[in-house]
Amino acid sequence: MELPHWLNSLKGKELDNYFESAFNKASSEEQSEVPLATQLHLYAYYKRAIDEPYVSNRSFELNDLRQGFKMNALIQVQNISKSEAKRRYIKIVEDLYPKPW
């Protein structure tokens, strides 16, 4: 994913503030209008950004396809930094919902 220069330059508290704003915007919008693949990306980047690992094996126990997709998305982002996950999350939200917000 190609990120704009200004987004790559965000660090520390400034990055945290943008991330929180993006999360609040995404949370206030109707989820059903967002493509499922994009929802999975947002989910995985969010979980990585807040450093919340996937700890449940429930998806395997219940043969729950949805949980399996979530787990796969998380596996795909496990090697990126929390800061990079925040930047990617922000980029997706800004693409979905152009500012101002």
Side-chain angles (χ1 to χ4, degrees):
M1 171 185 292
E2 185 73 28
L3 299 176
H5 177 71
W6 72 268
L7 192 51
N8 279 323
S9 66
L10 291 178
K11 293 183 179 21
K13 194 67 171 164
E14 188 177 26
L15 177 58
D16 292 343
N17 289 340
Y18 268 91
F19 176 70
E20 185 175 335
S21 293
F23 174 74
N24 289 336
K25 177 60 179 174
S27 297
S28 71
E29 296 295 329
E30 180 58 46
Q31 194 178 49
S32 65
E33 297 186 18
V34 178
L36 290 176
T38 304
Q39 288 181 36
L40 282 171
H41 286 291
L42 286 170
Y43 171 81
Y45 291 141
Y46 176 78
K47 291 294 190 177
R48 178 66 188 116
I50 64 168
D51 204 22
E52 183 177 304
Y54 189 87
V55 295
S56 171
N57 285 328
R58 187 177 141 244
S59 60
F60 296 116
E61 294 170 4
L62 299 177
N63 197 20
D64 183 347
L65 187 59
R66 183 174 183 212
Q67 291 299 324
F69 279 117
K70 285 181 173 183
M71 178 178 269
N72 183 51
L74 289 170
I75 289 168
Q76 291 180 34
V77 301
Q78 69 183 352
N79 291 324
I80 66 171
S81 70
K82 292 190 317 184
S83 294
E84 180 66 13
K86 288 177 184 180
R87 289 183 186 98
R88 291 181 185 191
Y89 186 95
I90 293 166
K91 170 76 168 111
I92 292 172
V93 172
E94 287 200 338
D95 288 348
L96 287 170
Y97 313 109
K99 284 192 169 186
W101 34 267

